[in-house]
Amino acid sequence: MPVPTQELKLEIVNAATGQPLGARAAPGADGALVVRDYPKDGPSPERWQFTPVQSTQDDPAYVIRNAVSGKVLDNPAAADRGVRQWDAAASKKAQQWRLVPVEGEAGLYVIEGAADGAVLDLDEPAKNDTRIVLGEYDDSAESQRWRLVPGEPMRTSDLVLDWAPLSHWNSRQSWRLTHDKNALRPAADATPSFSNVLLVLEKFGCDQDAGGWTTDRPSGRAAGQAGWWAGLGERFLADTTGTGIADIVGLKPAKGAVTSSSRGDGTFDDERVLHPPASSASPKDLWTLADLTSKSRPGVVVLAAEGTRVSTQDESGAFAPAGGELVLKAFGHGPQAGSWLADKHPRFLADTTGDGRLDIVGCHDDGLWVSLQDDEGTFAPLAEEPALRAFGHSEEAGGWLLDKHPRFLADTTGDGRLDIVGCHDDGLWVSLQDEEGTFAEPLYVLDEFGVDQGWTSIDEHPRFLVKTTSDGVVDIVGFGPQGVVVARGRGDGTFERSQLVLDDYGQAQGWTGKKHLRLLADVTGDKNPDIIGFGNEGVWVSHNKGDGSFEQAKLVCRGFGYNEDVGGWRVDRHSRFLADITGDGRLDIVGFGGPGVHVARNLFRRFRTR
């Protein structure tokens, strides 16, 4: 587990005994510390906070403070080498400790004294109330290994508003917002963030009456996320006209891309064909909508058997040519286009050079391939050799697997060019792009966010590269085994040691990739990404505090959740998105459920109080 912030309260559990560190059952005046069992009907195990005090980022020291008493872990230099909790003293070296990760053991640490390098150990591991002592480091001693266990997260609720249907004399229907008095533990200063759920369109749903939409790909990997394209049967949100308002787009076997345009009030028009399929269309084709030049309406881009096909959109909303123009004989699933497979080879549309035009980047078996778009809108043919023999599926290119090893394009240096960032088994790798467009050999920059550190899969542990503060530096945010983890970017392609910043949204708090979606998006309008989790009880949000840390989770919508009483939403059937469907600048929640399209309106600014 990453090093925690001083705000979190954690148990310190010995790996050999499974018992937490704390005072004796009958504490003495000497403040001696032990590991012991805590009966279910007795007091809870003691929790501790880690406050950084000095030294370099690569070798930080901490004061370990009792979250209740305020006393700190102390080395009294006694003859018996016993460790105690004692009153804090400013800059006292004997009260400073380092957390040293155990190599090859995810989530385990050796706790080392900054004064003399001795480590926390057990005096007599066979007994209960076993005293904590300092000993010489022994890499084979399990008694010297400690696990940090977050406590139960604090959760509250915003005011939850529901829709009350209204009928009018002219048969017109509308809805009025009403307060849901059953909101779970509302916060004292709560203001509504989202309305409750409203069914706005009885189409695009899984039920037969709503179209019988199905897809073979989990919604956790839906279109709209970097590196993913939409396949047959998928539905997603996209701005089809360039107005900034998101419409519904779905891919049908016979009709191609169909859409329901947003009316600007949270509802949608009837379904119509947006873009018919090409005569050579295949169920393996992957689709997306993108403004390729940043100067026109979005076009349709299809990764087809023969390569990459593009249809541009004119001012009237028509796409030409109807089946798309073959612009590049590459990145397609047919042998003539490189045999790119959806379950092996991620592909991206991104402006890699900062010229305002989207390029195509893909990771094949043998490494990274790039096709740049020029001023005329032409995509360059692929070179004879990959741009980088790394980040590929084959062992020679690193053995990167789609379900385990996420890869990203992100500007980690602030020079306007996108670099390659990937999380492999051993941790984080970065390849920087220079002014000539050349990608450097990957550097191993952080032993975190990898399979070896407990990040077992993309679905189980989503990771994002985003700016968590307004300083313009890209950070890494991940949903790890113990909660939300952040590694601050240094602006030079490297990252600081990761920190556990929130004890929520992780496996330890019951979040799993098979049941729950977790995303990052700005739902408050302050330009900083917030955490959004579709949990058991509904939608939870942790607002960004502005400094890259996050508030405790609040239940903001009693819908779109896994439990049956909030809709029974499933990640393999029911896609959910955050998008502005009204043009007011706020991200709403849109979900494709069984009977159709469901919406929860974002009310944050409307009801925000000073």
Side-chain angles (χ1 to χ4, degrees):
M1 187 180 79
V3 173
T5 67
Q6 63 267 31
E7 298 175 357
L8 299 186
K9 302 172 184 179
L10 306 102
E11 297 174 20
I12 303 175
V13 179
N14 186 261
T17 64
Q19 298 171 321
L21 178 146
R24 294 189 180 102
D30 59 358
L33 290 170
V34 298
V35 294
R36 66 183 182 89
D37 291 325
Y38 285 78
K40 291 183 179 180
D41 56 350
S44 300
E46 295 179 56
R47 295 195 174 116
W48 306 82
Q49 294 173 291
F50 293 74
T51 305
V53 288
Q54 52 85 30
S55 49
T56 66
Q57 178 62 36
D58 293 329
D59 191 26
Y62 299 84
V63 169
I64 303 176
R65 190 181 309 275
N66 190 300
V68 175
S69 69
K71 294 185 180 294
V72 301
L73 207 66
D74 181 86
N75 171 16
D80 62 2
R81 303 293 281 159
V83 177
R84 63 182 181 176
Q85 56 177 329
W86 209 250
D87 293 332
S91 303
K92 185 178 178 181
K93 201 76 170 179
Q95 295 180 351
Q96 298 175 10
W97 308 85
R98 292 188 175 90
L99 298 178
V100 182
V102 177
E103 187 174 354
E105 295 285 347
L108 291 181
Y109 288 93
V110 172
I111 301 177
E112 177 186 88
D116 56 9
V119 302
L120 292 194
D121 202 348
L122 303 185
D123 189 14
E124 297 179 20
K127 295 182 179 180
N128 195 19
D129 267 24
T130 304
R131 293 180 65 249
I132 306 300
V133 297
L134 288 168
E136 293 185 7
Y137 172 68
D138 180 356
D139 61 4
S140 64
E142 192 176 12
S143 60
Q144 294 181 359
R145 301 177 183 182
W146 302 85
R147 190 179 305 277
L148 308 179
V149 180
E152 288 295 319
M154 294 292 295
R155 293 174 175 172
T156 58
S157 174
D158 275 0
L159 292 176
V160 178
L161 300 184
D162 204 352
W163 297 99
L166 297 175
S167 297
H168 302 276
W169 63 270
N170 58 358
S171 300
R172 180 177 174 270
Q173 270 199 320
S174 62
W175 297 270
R176 180 178 58 198
L177 287 171
T178 61
H179 178 216
D180 181 358
K181 297 181 180 179
N182 296 319
L184 177 66
R185 292 185 315 207
D189 59 348
T191 56
S193 290
F194 286 88
S195 72
N196 247 12
V197 181
L198 180 69
L199 178 65
V200 299
L201 186 63
E202 294 182 1
K203 292 192 175 183
F204 295 97
C206 300
D207 297 347
Q208 288 302 312
D209 292 343
W213 288 75
T214 60
T215 177
D216 293 332
R217 189 161 58 184
S219 296
R221 302 183 187 180
Q225 297 182 14
W228 297 105
W229 301 65
L232 194 66
E234 291 192 85
R235 296 137 292 165
F236 55 96
L237 276 293
D239 176 9
T240 64
T241 60
T243 61
I245 300 177
D247 307 308
I248 295 170
V249 179
L251 301 178
K252 280 190 170 181
K255 294 184 177 181
V258 298
T259 186
S260 286
S261 300
S262 175
R263 293 172 176 155
D265 61 357
T267 63
F268 297 89
D269 288 331
D270 202 2
E271 178 186 310
R272 63 180 176 85
V273 175
L274 178 70
H275 186 278
S279 58
S280 59
S282 164
K284 295 181 180 180
D285 292 350
L286 298 177
W287 296 57
T288 193
L289 270 75
D291 182 357
L292 296 174
T293 64
S294 299
K295 298 178 182 178
S296 60
R297 291 172 174 243
V300 171
V301 183
V302 182
L303 302 179
E306 63 272 28
T308 305
R309 305 186 70 91
V310 173
S311 293
T312 57
Q313 184 182 178
D314 62 24
E315 292 299 323
S316 67
F319 289 86
E325 177 187 356
L326 183 63
V327 299
L328 186 63
K329 293 181 180 180
F331 299 108
H333 53 82
Q336 67 272 38
S339 297
W340 292 74
L341 304 179
D343 60 350
K344 287 185 178 181
H345 308 133
R347 283 150 283 179
F348 305 82
L349 264 178
D351 178 7
T352 63
T353 62
D355 64 359
R357 292 184 173 274
L358 299 184
D359 312 304
I360 305 177
V361 180
C363 301
H364 207 287
D365 291 338
D366 51 358
L368 185 78
W369 294 84
V370 179
S371 173
L372 299 180
Q373 186 185 179
D374 62 22
D375 291 340
E376 303 299 323
T378 301
F379 288 91
L382 296 190
E384 295 184 1
E385 298 290 332
L388 187 65
R389 290 194 177 277
F391 299 104
H393 182 80
S394 70
E395 290 298 324
E396 293 77 10
W400 293 75
L401 305 178
L402 196 66
D403 60 340
K404 288 187 177 182
H405 306 136
R407 281 150 282 181
F408 308 90
L409 297 175
D411 180 6
T412 65
T413 63
D415 64 358
R417 289 182 172 272
L418 299 185
D419 311 304
I420 314 296
V421 182
C423 303
H424 208 288
D425 290 343
D426 51 359
L428 193 71
W429 292 80
V430 175
S431 172
L432 299 180
Q433 183 187 179
D434 63 21
E435 294 180 356
E436 303 300 322
T438 302
F439 290 93
E441 283 299 311
L443 294 176
Y444 181 57
V445 299
L446 196 63
D447 57 345
E448 266 299 339
F449 300 102
V451 175
D452 292 347
Q453 294 87 35
W455 302 72
T456 55
S457 72
I458 289 178
D459 292 334
E460 201 63 49
H461 303 296
R463 281 145 278 183
F464 301 86
L465 266 73
V466 294
K467 298 175 183 178
T468 64
T469 62
S470 58
D471 63 5
V473 178
V474 172
D475 307 313
I476 303 173
V477 181
F479 297 93
Q482 301 293 338
V484 180
V485 175
V486 174
R488 310 290 180 199
R490 293 187 174 120
D492 61 358
T494 65
F495 297 85
E496 297 178 359
R497 296 294 311 178
S498 60
Q499 288 190 322
L500 180 69
V501 300
L502 188 63
D503 57 343
D504 210 341
Y505 303 102
Q507 281 179 319
Q509 295 84 31
W511 293 78
T512 71
K514 293 182 178 180
K515 292 183 177 181
H516 310 123
L517 299 180
R518 288 152 289 177
L519 306 170
L520 289 176
D522 175 17
V523 300
T524 64
D526 64 357
K527 309 303 182 183
N528 292 319
D530 308 297
I531 296 170
I532 302 95
F534 294 84
N536 290 331
E537 307 88 346
V539 183
W540 295 87
V541 168
S542 290
H543 292 137
N544 191 318
K545 296 179 181 179
D547 59 358
S549 61
F550 298 90
E551 297 176 356
Q552 296 291 336
K554 290 183 179 179
L555 183 68
V556 300
C557 179
R558 294 184 64 84
F560 300 109
Y562 185 84
N563 291 347
E564 293 299 329
D565 61 346
V566 287
W569 292 73
R570 301 293 183 260
V571 297
D572 59 344
R573 297 199 300 275
H574 307 134
S575 302
R576 285 153 283 180
F577 299 91
L578 290 149
D580 181 5
I581 59 173
T582 63
D584 61 3
R586 298 192 296 262
L587 296 181
D588 309 295
I589 304 172
V590 181
F592 299 94
V597 181
H598 298 74
V599 168
R601 291 282 302 276
N602 188 333
L603 308 172
F604 187 80
R605 288 183 189 167
R606 178 179 173 185
F607 287 92
R608 188 71 187 271
T609 57
R610 293 184 181 273

